[in-house]
Amino acid sequence: MSLIEQEMSRERWIDIPEEVLEKLRIWRPAPLYRASRLERFLGTPAHIYFKHEGFSPAGSHKPNTAVAQAYYNKAAGIKRLTTETGAGQWGCALAFAGGQFGIDVKVYMVRVSYDQKPYRKMLMQTWGAACVASPSPDTAAGREFLSHDAQHPGTLGIAISEAVEDAVTSKDTRYSLGSVLNHVLMHQTIVGLEAQKQMARTGDYPDVVIACVGGGSNFGGLAFPYLRDKIYDKDIRVIACEPASCPTLTKGPYVYDFGDTAGKTPLLAMYSLGHAFMPAPIHAGGLRYHGMAPLVSKLLADGLIEARAYPQSQTFGAGLTFARTEGFVPAPETNHAIACVIEEANRAREEGKERVILMNFSGHGLIDLGAYDAFLSGNLEDTALEDEDVQRLLRDLENFPRP
Amino acid sequence: MSLIEQEMSRERWIDIPEEVLEKLRIWRPAPLYRASRLERFLGTPAHIYFKHEGFSPAGSHKPNTAVAQAYYNKAAGIKRLTTETGAGQWGCALAFAGGQFGIDVKVYMVRVSYDQKPYRKMLMQTWGAACVASPSPDTAAGREFLSHDAQHPGTLGIAISEAVEDAVTSKDTRYSLGSVLNHVLMHQTIVGLEAQKQMARTGDYPDVVIACVGGGSNFGGLAFPYLRDKIYDKDIRVIACEPASCPTLTKGPYVYDFGDTAGKTPLLAMYSLGHAFMPAPIHAGGLRYHGMAPLVSKLLADGLIEARAYPQSQTFGAGLTFARTEGFVPAPETNHAIACVIEEANRAREEGKERVILMNFSGHGLIDLGAYDAFLSGNLEDTALEDEDVQRLLRDLENFPRP
């Protein structure tokens, strides 16, 4: 109920409870870095900063909201949380957070990822969570899909259906979501609020704020506090970076669409490629979402942010450049932001302008090294969405209401 | 030559060059944590602190010396470094450091680990290093072993032979070692020197200092600065933790033995199970070494430190307890130190004594999750060395000189 109140709140400020802060302090404040080695490599006059969210135990920004959600559920007497996960970052974050508060966690993980990324499942289990491949025999929805195809590879939509069914039919259990919703993005704003205090000590103020977007939570987390500045008095650009194979913001319409594949959620006002859209199996699993957080969508519709799409190979080229200069190996999702940072830094060099760039380093890629291996051995496919695919998707959305 | 001078130096202090500090600052100072959640779980009056070395890009303490070695070699005009690696922590660290200074790195990785831990190889390649399975067709030594067995699983000894041969026969190339030697342990003392400054701000001073030991570098790094205090005025215990399957300090004699399997190195005064000893394939690959750093060995011989051995299952039980309380997933090597910390914390509870415990969290286990999976699914073997094995090993060492 606390989370639903937050979802609907009109308050301008909601405090973080001390019990949540105690857990966040395990890795927060997250360090802000000046990427001076990358600057030198690019020969750019730009000042590049990145906020390193990869030091959390789960390796990404996701625990910022997982910890808060586990806390509020625990406080309400909930004993068990269910969720779905694609690539596994969110499942790991909730497993960690559940462990910290003594709440049981069950994660329905899309089978193709469950098989391809066994380390994520092991990490969840190390923290005491249960993780099953979806579709699973544990729910009616899962059994239905398995009856048609015993080796069904699964989808995020099916995994959501299973997690929701489990929550609705089990005692003292709730369903938890790792992105898209207002309260989730609010929990992430600690990223931007910290960054503002840290940037103040550098003497620089960002001209450009950059983050990758899937559901919108790491982007919103960094960008929202800066957008407040932009509205009042600052001339900054804020850029959301998405995969060319799932170009929600750059090619999708602004429409009321379902948040899940099965069409069980309320309609959300968002940029969307249609709830039936099945993105190509890129390595940045966290960015494979047909829609976008309504808050982020509204900002784009109002012209307060920009969006850019990048092909997979360009993002991994950028990630490799980052790893070889700054040392830290970025997550495939983060590589989309880095591709944009490099673009902006190169433009600053061409224009001979000092420019301050701030990026969200949303997570590390140590459990995604197979993707780098594929890139280095030339086995990475680019699957940009063709215009005709987009036209077909738009036709499917024609009868949906517009905001 | 600078490194050889350091190896033989009688100076009490050797400064860290600014070029090395610039790289160390990527992740240093490494945070010192109070493990209050672990304390509460154990119900102990002990204050438990750990120094978190897992935030380096390579995920362990190893880059502390890898960066220094790459720097001094670069300054001396060396263009290429070769080394061997078992589980891969050291190979990753040198790959990272070589990348930072623009030095080519070639890592000979024991084939069985190369096949079992593909992520380590991928991490080295992501940083631009070459990594081959050893024995390899790239050296005469490797080809010789392959001619007898094309699927030879490799050993650390063979990998050392290959790396040394490569360095000796290639232009502008040197061989680099990640532990055991004096200069390596000195580079690691930044861990203990930092910890002393950080502990001073807590108001606590450690009664017990704990680290795991393989070659001795993370132990020496934390312990040496504290041993200086112990010699002058402090009543502290310093404990080295090793695997029961490779009980160098607890069961080996103090003897002059070879540092490598093939017997190519000078004789080193150290505790050893004999250079021919082949430790069981435990997951803590970094602790599978037949000998021990001469500096650490001398301290044990002089009674300044204690040593304890732990079976693998106990260490993973301890690691799991740590992961589920403190959140961070420890490396299998680190789990040996944690097993000892829990023992000491439980004793403090039984004795009703406040006791300050300081541990080196030498690295994270995110690339070793397969080991946790094996533990959780009951597939982890305990292979303590039997007394009769030790007797046989001791007979092999009978004719070696004693210090």
Side-chain angles (χ1 to χ4, degrees), chain A residues 237-287:
Chain A
R237 287 182 299 132
V238 180
I239 310 175
C241 310
E242 63 185 10
S245 57
C246 189
T248 314
L249 291 178
T250 51
K251 298 210 170 170
Y254 192 34
V255 61
Y256 279 100
D257 193 8
F258 295 113
D260 67 324
T261 306
K264 302 279 187 196
T265 71
L267 289 171
L268 303 170
M270 60 181 180
Y271 286 86
S272 173
L273 295 165
H275 57 277
F277 176 59
M278 179 66 62
I282 54 169
H283 288 280
L287 307 186

Side-chain angles (χ1 to χ4, degrees), chain A residues 26 33 100 126-127 324-325 327, chain B residues 26 33 126-127 324-325 327:
Chain A
I26 296 176
Y33 282 90
Q100 288 292 312
T126 297
W127 280 318
R324 290 183 180 181
T325 51
Chain B
I26 295 176
Y33 281 90
T126 297
W127 280 319
R324 290 182 179 182
T325 51

Side-chain angles (χ1 to χ4, degrees), chain A residues 15-340:
Chain A
D15 269 329
I16 304 175
E18 181 53 37
E19 294 87 341
V20 173
L21 277 176
E22 191 217 343
K23 304 301 181 185
L24 296 180
R25 280 192 204 103
I26 296 176
W27 73 97
R28 304 208 75 89
L32 176 82
Y33 282 90
R34 172 90 180 261
S36 44
R37 298 163 199 87
L38 178 61
E39 290 171 16
R40 280 202 296 275
F41 176 80
L42 297 173
T44 178
H47 293 192
I48 303 173
Y49 294 88
F50 61 97
K51 180 78 171 157
H52 197 319
E53 290 292 317
F55 288 137
S56 76
S60 79
H61 66 292
K62 290 287 185 190
N64 295 331
T65 182
V67 164
Q69 292 191 42
Y71 164 75
Y72 286 112
N73 275 286
K74 175 80 174 183
I78 302 303
K79 298 196 163 49
R80 185 168 170 273
L81 290 171
T82 65
T83 196
E84 79 291 340
T85 198
Q89 287 275 23
W90 170 242
C92 287
L94 196 65
F96 157 72
Q100 288 292 312
F101 286 101
I103 291 188
D104 289 339
V105 172
K106 179 154 182 182
V107 181
Y108 292 86
M109 184 170 184
V110 178
R111 177 180 293 278
V112 58
S113 296
Y114 184 92
D115 292 337
Q116 278 174 0
K117 307 202 173 195
Y119 275 31
R120 294 260 189 234
K121 165 196 67 180
M122 294 174 195
L123 186 51
M124 294 178 221
Q125 290 168 343
T126 297
W127 280 318
C131 174
V132 293
S134 166
S136 80
D138 302 3
T139 66
R143 285 189 295 272
E144 170 69 17
F145 284 102
L146 288 176
S147 72
H148 297 298
D149 178 1
Q151 299 302 317
H152 197 297
T155 69
L156 213 45
I158 295 171
I160 293 176
S161 303
E162 288 204 275
V164 170
E165 178 189 324
D166 183 335
V168 171
T169 58
S170 305
K171 198 161 164 280
D172 298 333
T173 300
R174 289 290 180 279
Y175 168 69
S176 172
L177 200 66
S179 191
V180 179
L181 300 182
N182 303 340
H183 69 276
V184 176
L185 272 61
M186 183 193 69
H187 297 157
Q188 293 292 353
T189 54
I190 192 170
V191 177
L193 292 168
E194 269 183 19
Q196 287 182 321
K197 289 193 178 181
Q198 293 166 321
M199 284 297 300
R201 298 176 63 172
T202 69
D204 275 334
Y205 185 91
D207 300 300
V208 196
V209 174
I210 295 170
C212 63
V213 278
S217 79
N218 100 79
F219 173 82
L222 178 65
F224 287 0
Y226 279 102
L227 283 159
R228 185 172 50 186
D229 289 5
K230 179 181 172 105
I231 291 167
Y232 288 118
D233 63 347
K234 292 288 188 182
D235 180 25
I236 52 176
R237 287 182 299 132
V238 180
I239 310 175
C241 310
E242 63 185 10
S245 57
C246 189
T248 314
L249 291 178
T250 51
K251 298 210 170 170
Y254 192 34
V255 61
Y256 279 100
D257 193 8
F258 295 113
D260 67 324
T261 306
K264 302 279 187 196
T265 71
L267 289 171
L268 303 170
M270 60 181 180
Y271 286 86
S272 173
L273 295 165
H275 57 277
F277 176 59
M278 179 66 62
I282 54 169
H283 288 280
L287 307 186
R288 295 177 66 233
Y289 182 60
H290 70 273
M292 182 58 60
L295 287 174
V296 173
S297 296
K298 174 73 172 143
L299 288 166
L300 183 67
D302 289 352
L304 284 162
I305 64 171
E306 305 165 39
R308 293 188 199 160
Y310 296 94
Q312 179 162 243
S313 57
Q314 183 180 348
T315 67
F316 273 93
L320 208 67
T321 298
F322 190 92
R324 290 183 180 181
T325 51
E326 293 302 311
F328 297 109
V329 178
E333 291 83 2
T334 311
N335 287 345
H336 291 71
I338 298 171
C340 182

Side-chain angles (χ1 to χ4, degrees), chain B residues 215-238:
Chain B
S217 79
N218 100 78
F219 173 82
L222 178 65
F224 288 0
Y226 279 103
L227 284 158
R228 184 172 53 186
D229 289 4
K230 179 182 171 101
I231 290 167
Y232 288 118
D233 63 348
K234 292 288 187 183
D235 179 27
I236 53 176
R237 288 180 298 130
V238 180

